[in-house]
Amino acid sequence: MSGGVMRPTALVPSAEHLALPFFEAAHRDIAARLPAWANAQGVDETDDRAACRNWVQLLGEGGWLRYCVAGDHGGALPQLDSRALVLLRETLAFYSPLADFSFAMQGLGSGAISLGGTPAQQAEYLPAVARGEKIAAFALSEADAGSDVAAMKTQADCEGGLWRLNGTKTWISNGGLADFYCMFAKTDSQAGSRGITAFIVDKGAAGLDDNAHIQVMAPHPLATLKLANAVVAGNEPLGEVNGGFKLAMQTLDIFRASVAGAALGMARRALAEAVAHARQRKMFGHTLADFQLTQAKLGEMAALIDAGAVLTYRAAWMRDMQQGSMKERSVAAAMAKMTATENAQRVIDMALQMHGGLGVMVGSRVESLYRDIRSLRIYEGATEVQQLIIGKAVLT
């Protein structure tokens, strides 16, 4: 858990949802093998950066990072599969949110290369990502360009046949830790979102300073990146010039449902912790579980989790099977991300309340979950952005 050593637990995530028709044999195989593996890893998470390096190495050795890339580049499945990503993140987050973070960033950080990279770019980066030999990062956000991506100010210029980047990126996950960054910059300052291009910038590239670490309430690697005529890897863009916004959105669309999966994993762990606590906590000659108020709260928690789960699995299934229009798939992913993360926040809050004073004791599982869940309602599209996506669709 965050701030300590991840130790084996007797708690295991529920597997009842695997009987739903959204899943196939490959997905059930992941769910059958991953819990025991994840529970056996004793990672010291006191130092979040060291822990993430360790997790990437372990996930690579275990073969789990192969689900972050397509089969042609060392992947476990022919294509990036949203349902596999959801199940992996859900299970990893149940045991360790840092393990989930480390896995997710390998996929998100390299996703633009999977979708838009040249064969040479894909061959250089993707197999190394799948083996855990290169740590990836997705550098889109800026201080004034989070939800409003078109407001980014980082500029990419090509002079004398050479591409150089200037500007500042912030809130970059794996910042300072990554071996490469999929970086987005303006190539046409007057064209808004239609003037953005993606590039790959390697760690140690001339003009890149990624040492400004950001401390947050649930420790994980974040940094501000400063670019001063930063050198682009291979001196070529990633995807089409001025096609970066579309590439970024396509990447986020694949992984948005997986954020919901991570929220489900944290919520399921909170419920499991609450049930275990209620069964053993003695009060007025009874266990806490004997009281109807406790039973009602546990019932509400279970329903909130399942509501988010069904929307999450539906969104991942729609993306994998190309069900509905692109707009319908985006709306489904928005519903999943919004509902699963918001419901998980409520579930974890109720679990903490049920633990009483133990719930706010630093180092307890529900206390760390309370901090871990908060950022999921913000990154990869804040709840308010998801509400706008859904609301506009309803009005159309």
Side-chain angles (χ1 to χ4, degrees):
M1 71 186 185
S2 299
V5 178
M6 191 190 115
R7 304 186 187 283
T9 175
L11 301 176
V12 294
S14 170
E16 295 176 358
H17 55 279
L18 294 171
L20 294 172
F22 296 119
F23 300 111
E24 300 172 5
H27 308 118
R28 296 184 180 99
D29 176 65
I30 292 170
R33 294 186 294 115
L34 183 55
W37 180 90
N39 196 34
Q41 310 308 310
V43 175
D44 185 347
E45 298 187 342
T46 305
D47 181 333
D48 59 292
R49 291 177 177 271
C52 286
R53 285 189 185 279
N54 196 358
W55 273 119
V56 169
Q57 179 182 357
L58 291 170
L59 288 162
E61 292 172 351
W64 303 111
L65 294 182
R66 294 179 60 220
Y67 291 94
C68 292
V69 303
D72 289 345
H73 307 291
L77 299 173
Q79 304 295 330
L80 284 172
D81 187 280
S82 287
R83 288 167 293 175
L85 294 171
V86 162
L87 289 176
L88 278 151
R89 293 198 64 181
E90 181 176 342
T91 304
L92 289 171
F94 182 93
Y95 291 102
S96 165
L98 268 184
D100 162 64
F101 168 86
S102 300
F103 171 84
M105 286 313 304
Q106 288 296 93
L108 181 63
S110 65
I113 300 176
S114 293
L115 294 174
T118 65
Q121 289 170 334
Q122 292 173 339
E124 180 174 355
Y125 292 95
L126 297 182
V129 165
R131 295 191 297 266
E133 296 169 359
K134 283 184 181 290
I135 296 177
F138 184 79
L140 181 66
S141 298
E142 298 182 7
D144 296 318
S147 299
D148 183 9
V149 175
M152 73 169 57
K153 297 177 181 177
T154 297
Q155 187 73 27
D157 297 296
C158 186
E159 297 179 1
L162 300 176
W163 283 102
R164 295 285 188 270
L165 274 63
N166 289 277
T168 301
K169 295 290 182 179
T170 194
W171 304 113
I172 306 305
S173 293
N174 276 347
L177 189 69
D179 293 296
F180 68 91
Y181 299 90
C182 286
M183 192 89 63
F184 296 82
K186 281 287 184 71
T187 40
D188 184 343
S189 59
Q190 305 302 314
S193 63
R194 297 176 183 273
I196 296 171
T197 303
F199 300 88
I200 303 171
V201 178
D202 288 327
K203 185 175 181 63
L208 170 65
D209 180 354
D210 59 358
N211 292 315
H213 298 174
I214 301 171
Q215 302 300 319
V216 288
M217 62 191 290
H220 66 276
L222 281 173
T224 295
L225 314 181
K226 297 179 181 178
L227 306 155
N229 288 320
V231 174
V232 170
N235 195 43
E236 60 181 337
L238 172 56
E240 298 179 359
V241 173
N242 295 331
F245 179 80
K246 180 180 179 181
L247 184 58
M249 295 304 105
Q250 288 175 331
T251 303
L252 291 171
D253 271 349
I254 293 174
F255 290 92
R256 185 162 287 131
S258 80
V259 179
L264 290 177
M266 294 184 202
R268 290 191 193 281
R269 180 58 182 268
L271 176 58
E273 294 283 348
V275 169
H277 177 71
R279 284 173 170 165
Q280 62 85 30
R281 176 74 163 90
K282 295 294 192 295
M283 185 180 291
F284 305 114
H286 299 275
T287 66
L288 192 59
D290 291 329
F291 294 96
Q292 288 186 333
L293 183 58
T294 301
Q295 296 164 14
K297 283 295 181 183
L298 293 172
E300 183 180 0
M301 293 160 72
L304 287 169
I305 292 170
D306 275 6
V310 172
L311 287 176
T312 300
Y313 304 148
R314 181 191 71 163
W317 173 81
M318 287 179 68
R319 189 265 165 190
D320 288 340
M321 305 303 291
Q322 295 294 288
Q323 290 291 315
S325 65
M326 183 179 296
K327 178 181 177 181
E328 289 169 333
R329 295 194 294 272
S330 292
V331 170
M335 287 183 173
K337 205 267 185 183
M338 177 189 74
T339 304
T341 57
E342 292 290 332
N343 284 7
Q345 181 84 60
R346 293 173 62 189
V347 168
I348 293 169
D349 183 73
M350 284 189 279
L352 187 150
Q353 186 76 9
M354 195 175 295
H355 277 73
L358 293 173
V360 293
M361 185 173 67
V362 173
S364 71
R365 174 57 74 174
V366 291
E367 181 272 338
S368 64
L369 286 169
Y370 192 82
R371 290 182 286 109
D372 284 317
I373 191 60
R374 190 60 186 84
S375 63
L376 271 67
R377 294 167 58 201
I378 298 172
Y379 72 66
E380 292 189 40
T383 293
E384 291 76 13
V385 173
Q386 310 312 320
Q387 290 170 334
L388 288 173
I389 292 170
I390 299 164
K392 287 180 180 178
V394 170
L395 290 169
T396 300

